[in-house]
Amino acid sequence: MPPQHGKSEGSTRRLPAFILGNSPDTKVAVISYNAPKARKFNREIQRIIDTDEYRDIFPGVRLNVSNVVTVGSSWLRNADECEIVGFRGGFKTVGVGGALTGDPVDVLIMDDIYKDAKSAWSPVVRESISDWYDTVAETRLHNDSKQLIFLRAGMRMIWRVRF
């Protein structure tokens, strides 16, 4: 699918919300090319989960009503990570090169991992992202983890799916 045809809408905004609605103990990680872009995905996922329509479909799944920066006794909700109230699951959003530490990841979604075509065609950038994946992202996966990864190859996108 070419750009602007709904890949991110379906896979990076709505899929995490759907997965968590069906299985709120799932730990989802969404990766993008930098932290601001990843945080934008985070806000968009939060907005979906906060809708009345979402609550009608998944009545037992919700986020903390206020932004909570520290864990304390509250369910975490901020621009980098959100936990589903009453469950073990949630989602983290991270820029390539950032830290993805803590709990294992059940579902890894990597979308918009290159800023633009120039960086996607750069062997140096591609190798840097590949190294980050090998040493950070992949180390958070377990035998039952699922992955959805979009990679730019020339002028087309390749979906790498492990489900």
Side-chain angles (χ1 to χ4, degrees), residues 64 68 70-76 83 85:
N64 195 329
V68 177
T70 58
V71 177
S73 62
S74 297
W75 299 98
L76 188 63
E83 298 171 329
V85 173

Side-chain angles (χ1 to χ4, degrees), residues 7-71:
K7 292 183 304 295
S8 293
E9 182 64 30
S11 65
T12 311
R13 294 177 185 97
R14 301 208 178 265
L15 182 61
F18 178 78
I19 289 169
L20 291 165
N22 282 302
S23 182
D25 287 324
T26 303
K27 294 175 172 80
V28 179
V30 176
I31 313 301
S32 190
Y33 67 85
N34 67 12
K37 180 67 173 175
R39 288 184 185 119
K40 185 173 189 295
F41 283 137
N42 179 300
R43 289 189 306 274
E44 292 164 340
I45 296 166
Q46 287 187 49
R47 286 185 193 117
I48 291 166
I49 293 174
D50 284 340
T51 64
D52 291 336
E53 295 85 0
Y54 188 88
R55 279 190 294 278
D56 289 344
I57 298 168
F58 306 110
V61 177
R62 66 182 180 87
L63 301 173
N64 195 329
V65 293
S66 64
N67 287 349
V68 177
V69 177
T70 58
V71 177

Side-chain angles (χ1 to χ4, degrees), residues 92-146:
K92 293 181 181 183
T93 52
V94 178
V96 169
L100 187 60
T101 56
D103 297 323
V105 172
D106 300 314
V107 177
L108 175 70
I109 300 170
M110 294 180 69
D111 184 13
D112 282 343
I113 58 174
Y114 299 107
K115 182 178 179 181
D116 52 29
K118 181 179 178 183
S119 64
W121 294 330
S122 164
V124 172
V125 172
R126 283 197 316 259
E127 184 166 340
S128 173
I129 291 172
S130 180
D131 289 346
W132 177 85
Y133 173 84
D134 292 342
T135 59
V136 178
E138 192 172 45
T139 66
R140 307 314 314 157
L141 304 177
H142 54 81
N143 289 340
D144 294 327
S145 291
K146 315 289 188 262

